[in-house]
Structures are given as C-alpha cells and as structure tokens.
Amino acid sequence: MKLSDLLIALRYWVAPELRVMLLGSILLLSFSVQIKNAGADSLNKLSGGKNDYLADSVNSDDKNDLTLRHAISLALLQNPELAAFSKEMRALEGVTLQAGLLRNPELSVNVENIGNIQKLRGDINAPESIVQEVVQQVTTIRIGQLIELGGKRAARVSAALLGEELAAMDYETRRVEIIARVANVFTEVLAAQERLRLAEETRQVAQNVVNSVTERVRGGKVAPIEETRVRVGLSTTRIEYEQAQRDLTSARKRLALLWNNSSPQFSKALGNLETLIAPPNLQMLEERVLSNPMAQRAMKNIEQRKALLEVEQTRRIPNLTVNAGVVNYALVGGNTAIASVMVPLPLFDRNQGNIKDAYQRVDKAMDEQATMELRLKTELTQSYEAMSAAWNEINILRDEILPGAKSAFHVMRRGYELGKFGLLELLDAQRVLFQNQVLYVRALANYQRLVNDIERLIAGPIDSVKPNHEINIRQP
C-alpha cells in the first residue's frame, strides 16, 4: 500500500467526530507498549514520543534488527487489506460527486406530416388548399429541464458524505486491527526468542551437570547409571532447543507475512517482555472504549440512516418539469413559441413503503449501536480480568517461585558435588527451575497480548489510562 493511500483517510478525520479517533490511531502506532525509543524517526514524531514496550529498550547496532514501530509501518504501508479499503473510499468519492450533480436537460424534436412542404397554389380558400394546410409538416423542438423540489439533491449529498465517513471508519477499524495483529505476532517473536535463549541455557546447564556427573563416575563416587540418566536429560534439552528454533522460525514468518513478505529480512526483533504497565482502572477503560472506531462507526451509521430517511421523505414531494420550445410550420411559414409545466399528482404513490423501510432501518441502527457498545464492554471486561490474573501470575512467579527455584537448584547442585544430595534431587530441582522459567516467559507474552487487545478496544495506548496501583515489576 502506498503512503498516498493512507493520506486519503486523513481528509475524513477533520470531522469533529473523528478527531479523537485520529489521535488514538496515531498514538496507536506505538501500540502495546512499553519500550524506550532509541531513535527519533518519523513514526516517533507521529506518536508524540510514546515509549514502545517492544521496540527499542534493547540497544543494537545491527540495522537489520526489527522494532515494533518498523513492523507496524511496514504492515500499514504494504498490507493488501488496507489497500482494498482505500479503493473503496475512492469509489465512494465518486458516489458523492454523482449525488450532487444536476439532472441533464432533455432535447426533444418532433416532426409531423413529414414531407408535406409544397407551397400553396391557387385559391388558398379552396378545399384542396385547406386540406394541404391542415396536413402540412410541423416541426416541434422542445428543451425540458427537471427541477428537483424539496431539497432532494442536498439530502442525497448529505447521505453520500456520511457514507464516505463510514468508509473512513471502516478503514480505521481495520487499521487498528492490523496494528493489534502486528503487536501480537511481534510479541510471539519476542517470546520465541526468549524461549530459545532459555533452551540454550538449559542445554548448557544440562551439559555442565553431565560433566559433573561424569567426573564423579570416573572418581568412583557414583554408579555409571547416573551418567546415563543425565545424558538422557541432555538429549531432551536438545530436542527442546530444536523445537524452540522451529517455533521462532514460524513466528518470524507469520510476522513478515503481515506486510506481504514470505521471507523475513530482519535479524531479530528488539524488545523486552519484562517492561510492563500495571492494569489501569476498569471504569476509565470503559469510558475510553466508546472512542473505538467500531463504536464510532455504529453511531455514525445512525446518522447515515437518518440522512437516508430524509432522502426518502423528500421524494414525497413531486418534481417539476419545465419545457420550452418552438413550433415551425413548413407550409405557411412562421414559428410559434410553446411552454409547458408538468407536475406528477401524488395521489397513490407518496413513497410510503420506502419511508417505512427507512424508519425501521434507523431503529435497527440504534439497536446495532447498543449491541456494539455491549459487545465492546464485554470483550473489555473479559480481557481486563484475564490481564489482572496474568499480572498476579507474573508477580508470583517473579517474586516467589523463580527466586526459590533458582536457589534450590544451586543448593542442590553444590550439594550433589559434595555428595550431600542424590542425582534425582538435582534433576528434579533443575526441571522445576526450567519449567517455571518457561512459565514466566509464557505469562509475560500472554500479558502483553492482553494489553494489545485492550489497546485495540480503546483505540489508544493503555499507558494513557491511570493504573489501579503502582508498577512493581522489575524494569530492565
């Protein structure tokens, strides 16, 4: 998609109803998000300097490294879905243009008694002359113009303009959805990178354990069966490492496909999953959800339906057709001016059916608007509850479980080397540590996805809403 296609939508955001949505969408370029920006690129200017939670908190000198801002920019410029919406908006511009045009005048030429143009001869009062004069060729030329009464053209233009605004809101809705989708897949890539790092650490630690057990076996301190056990565990960590590699490759491809590229060209995604924002106040989120483009579209749809009702009401008033012209008599010579006015009599068809249909569609639009608000609030509540649960899970894992698991593993490993603990206790402590590390990464990624979903619902950054409590998660 070209940048010019994006600029088409901006002309519609001048309307007061869309100003809030414009601000939210621009801020949303930094979506989901809590990363510190390392560069002052054009997207940073658009977003007002908002920190990206997934973008620039990790410094890198590799120009092929991908930030969330860059990923969103690529998706917005090259995603074919937005290109389709842009063309729909252009098409509706033509509909508005057509609605405002005046009706074309009509030219009518009527010739009667063709060919009877011979001059009168002899006595003009003779019966033959009189008959010849009666059936002489008569040419009538008329120009007629339909004049629409009752404000029909203005009503059509108003309805067409509202149709353009609806298309702009559809564009913005899909734009927000694409940004949320990019942020979610970007989160998956970060989580996959972290799981790969943990898998590598797990494999290295397992190798160290194998080395320690091998030395004890050689020293005759433990039975050779223990070396076999730890080597089986080492093989398992290799399988987990390969699986983590496959998951990362798949996530990278899914991310690149969002900007219509089947082959990822970036080296790695930059971001830190541990940079989080505490859950904000639910009531404030419910107020902000009404600024969602889908909610705004439902409200604008009511206005358009009312405009279409007005169009149907204006059609009750009959139009006026004015004709003017000239009649030429070929035999006797001379021209005669003529004029006429035609007005339909609304005796039977007063557009009753279409007016009733338009009234019902206004009521339907109101019901749809209430349904949309209810659905958005329901989705918001569900996401908020899940986000709060994920927040508590992260805090428990970080503050209680992981420190204890790390301490237990180090104690068990040192104790095993000193002969105080057996191999089973060491392997169990190792397994518990690595499982909880994976759970921690999974919980972080899940929290970020829920944040992305809430930002999609409120069409703006979540850090602009006051949190319920102070942030107490470790900042990198």
Side-chain angles (χ1 to χ4, degrees):
M1 180 177 179
K2 298 180 180 179
L3 183 59
S4 59
D5 293 333
L6 290 177
L7 295 178
I8 293 173
L10 295 180
R11 61 177 292 189
Y12 303 100
W13 295 338
V14 177
E17 296 86 351
L18 296 178
R19 289 174 184 164
V20 174
M21 184 170 61
L22 174 60
L23 177 59
S25 64
I26 292 177
L27 289 175
L28 200 58
L29 284 172
S30 53
F31 206 72
S32 183
V33 296
Q34 298 110 22
I35 328 184
K36 298 194 171 184
N37 185 19
D41 56 8
S42 60
L43 283 177
N44 186 40
K45 295 178 181 178
L46 287 174
S47 63
K50 182 183 179 300
N51 291 333
D52 263 328
Y53 87 108
L54 298 176
D56 305 319
S57 60
V58 179
N59 295 325
S60 174
D61 296 328
D62 192 342
K63 294 182 179 180
N64 290 327
D65 289 345
L66 182 71
T67 65
L68 177 61
R69 291 172 182 268
H70 190 200
I72 289 175
S73 176
L74 289 172
L76 293 180
L77 292 175
Q78 302 181 28
N79 191 285
E81 295 181 51
L82 287 180
F85 276 89
S86 175
K87 290 178 175 60
E88 175 66 17
M89 292 162 59
R90 289 182 175 181
L92 289 175
E93 288 181 357
V95 173
T96 303
L97 175 63
Q98 187 65 33
L101 297 178
L102 294 172
R103 297 294 181 90
N104 290 326
E106 295 181 355
L107 175 64
S108 172
V109 178
N110 183 43
V111 180
E112 300 177 6
N113 303 320
I114 300 176
N116 190 7
I117 58 175
Q118 295 179 1
K119 297 297 183 179
L120 294 175
R121 294 178 181 179
D123 187 4
I124 61 174
N125 294 320
E128 295 80 2
S129 299
I130 295 175
V131 172
Q132 185 181 358
E133 184 178 355
V134 170
V135 296
Q136 68 178 311
Q137 177 177 306
V138 178
T139 303
T140 305
I141 301 176
R142 290 188 180 91
I143 295 180
Q145 176 66 52
L146 177 69
I147 301 176
E148 294 182 304
L149 303 179
K152 293 184 179 66
R153 188 161 63 96
R156 287 199 308 270
V157 171
S158 177
L161 287 173
L162 288 171
E164 286 191 57
E165 293 184 15
L166 284 177
M169 290 181 176
D170 288 335
Y171 177 94
E172 180 64 16
T173 298
R174 186 53 56 91
R175 173 188 170 94
V176 170
E177 290 176 355
I178 289 176
I179 291 175
R181 196 185 310 165
V182 172
N184 282 335
V185 181
F186 193 90
T187 300
E188 293 177 8
V189 173
L190 281 183
Q193 289 179 171
E194 186 64 18
R195 285 194 295 269
L196 181 63
R197 185 188 65 80
L198 287 176
E200 174 62 25
E201 289 183 1
T202 301
R203 189 175 62 171
Q204 186 61 44
V205 171
Q207 183 64 57
N208 293 337
V209 171
V210 169
N211 295 338
S212 299
V213 173
T214 300
E215 291 180 3
R216 290 176 61 80
V217 169
R218 291 175 180 174
K221 298 180 181 180
V222 295
I225 188 61
E226 294 195 357
E227 182 178 0
T228 302
R229 288 178 178 175
V230 294
R231 289 193 179 279
V232 170
L234 177 61
S235 299
T236 301
T237 61
R238 290 173 180 170
I239 294 175
E240 293 174 350
Y241 180 79
E242 293 176 0
Q243 181 62 47
Q245 282 184 321
R246 289 193 294 270
D247 291 344
L248 177 58
T249 300
S250 176
R252 285 166 54 87
K253 288 183 178 180
R254 290 198 304 274
L255 180 59
L257 284 173
L258 291 176
W259 52 82
N260 202 23
N261 190 334
S262 58
S263 178
Q265 302 297 322
F266 59 94
S267 300
K268 65 178 180 180
L270 294 182
N272 193 329
L273 289 173
E274 287 190 300
T275 306
L276 302 178
I277 290 181
N281 185 274
L282 178 59
Q283 184 177 359
M284 297 183 67
L285 288 175
E286 289 178 344
E287 295 175 357
R288 292 281 300 276
V289 79
L290 298 180
S291 64
N292 185 291
M294 290 185 290
Q296 295 291 327
R297 188 197 185 284
M299 297 176 64
K300 185 63 66 176
N301 187 45
I302 297 176
E303 295 183 28
Q304 191 205 28
R305 287 299 175 182
K306 290 181 178 179
L308 292 174
L309 171 60
E310 184 179 354
V311 171
E312 298 299 337
Q313 288 175 334
T314 60
R315 290 176 178 172
R316 294 181 302 181
I317 303 173
N319 294 324
L320 181 68
T321 302
V322 178
N323 291 288
V326 63
V327 178
N328 174 259
Y329 299 94
L331 188 59
V332 299
N335 299 317
T336 302
I338 60 173
S340 65
V341 176
M342 293 187 298
V343 179
L345 299 178
L347 299 179
F348 308 108
D349 182 3
R350 295 184 298 276
N351 207 34
Q352 304 98 311
N354 290 332
I355 291 175
K356 181 178 180 180
D357 173 75
Y359 268 117
Q360 294 302 318
R361 294 192 181 278
V362 170
D363 293 339
K364 178 184 176 183
M366 291 180 178
D367 293 338
E368 290 175 344
Q369 190 263 343
T371 302
M372 177 60 69
E373 288 189 5
L374 179 61
R375 182 170 72 85
L376 291 174
K377 289 181 179 179
T378 301
E379 291 183 9
L380 176 64
T381 301
Q382 292 175 346
S383 297
Y384 183 84
E385 294 299 330
M387 183 177 66
S388 298
W391 174 263
N392 294 332
E393 180 184 359
I394 289 172
N395 287 332
I396 293 174
L397 283 168
R398 187 199 67 246
D399 298 334
E400 301 177 16
I401 296 178
L402 283 180
K406 291 179 181 178
S407 176
F409 173 71
H410 292 308
V411 170
M412 286 294 179
R413 182 176 176 180
R414 182 59 179 165
Y416 176 79
E417 293 173 353
L418 298 176
K420 296 182 179 180
F421 300 110
L423 178 62
L424 292 180
E425 288 84 353
L426 174 61
L427 294 178
D428 184 65
Q430 175 183 315
R431 178 183 57 81
V432 170
L433 172 60
F434 296 144
Q435 283 183 347
N436 283 287
Q437 285 178 330
V438 172
L439 285 177
Y440 183 58
V441 173
R442 188 177 302 168
L444 290 173
N446 184 46
Y447 185 85
Q448 299 292 6
R449 281 191 291 268
L450 291 167
V451 169
N452 295 339
D453 190 54
I454 288 179
E455 291 190 332
R456 175 184 65 84
L457 292 173
I458 66 174
I462 197 172
D463 57 3
S464 63
V465 182
K466 183 179 180 181
N468 272 333
H469 44 77
E470 296 297 328
I471 298 176
N472 59 0
I473 196 163
R474 180 177 69 255
Q475 301 291 339

